[in-house]
Amino acid sequence: GPPRAPAEKPYRLAQSPDEPGVLKVEVFNVAGTARLVRQPGVGNYEVSIPGPGDEVMRLVLGVRGSGGAGGELPEKPRGEGGAAGAVRKLTQNNEYQKYLDEHRLTEYLQAMVKAILETKPSDPYAWMAE
């Protein structure tokens, strides 16, 4: 089925909302979760998702640009402008920075990038996943 967007972000359909069409909505139980980091130039991914018990689900994904068979995606809606938008963005940035600091992610990611540059692995994405 189509990818799911987080509840706070709208899912952008490939066709204009002004065009007639049918939208099917299905609700499922979560069987497992995994994260996938998209890599430049890679179109196919294989993801292993831990399931109930010792079960592992294998999912193969194909990723393509927005100009494919579905046509161009509609423009993203613009956020709030002016002072209210600036305050909201600043608040969100402060929350992001707090999270980064709390988990010391900045130092960790800087060390990872430094190690990649020093070791120059042939597949840096696989190296980072190990």
Side-chain angles (χ1 to χ4, degrees), residues 115-126:
I116 288 170
L117 294 174
E118 289 173 352
T119 60
K120 295 182 177 74
S122 60
D123 185 350
Y125 296 101

Side-chain angles (χ1 to χ4, degrees), residues 30-110:
V30 176
T33 60
R35 293 201 186 272
L36 171 68
V37 178
R38 292 190 347 228
Q39 303 170 25
V42 175
N44 294 311
Y45 298 90
E46 185 175 315
V47 181
S48 295
I49 303 172
D54 292 333
E55 186 178 329
V56 176
M57 296 174 280
R58 197 173 129 248
L59 179 65
V60 178
L61 301 170
V63 180
R64 64 183 168 96
S66 62
E72 292 297 320
L73 294 176
E75 289 288 321
K76 286 185 179 180
R78 294 184 181 245
E80 284 183 31
V87 168
R88 179 171 295 163
K89 189 171 186 174
L90 182 60
T91 301
Q92 186 176 33
N93 287 343
N94 287 340
E95 290 173 10
Y96 291 161
Q97 189 61 51
K98 180 181 175 187
Y99 182 82
L100 288 169
D101 293 345
E102 180 180 326
H103 296 282
R104 300 185 63 195
L105 288 170
T106 302
E107 294 97 2
Y108 177 82
L109 293 171
Q110 286 173 342

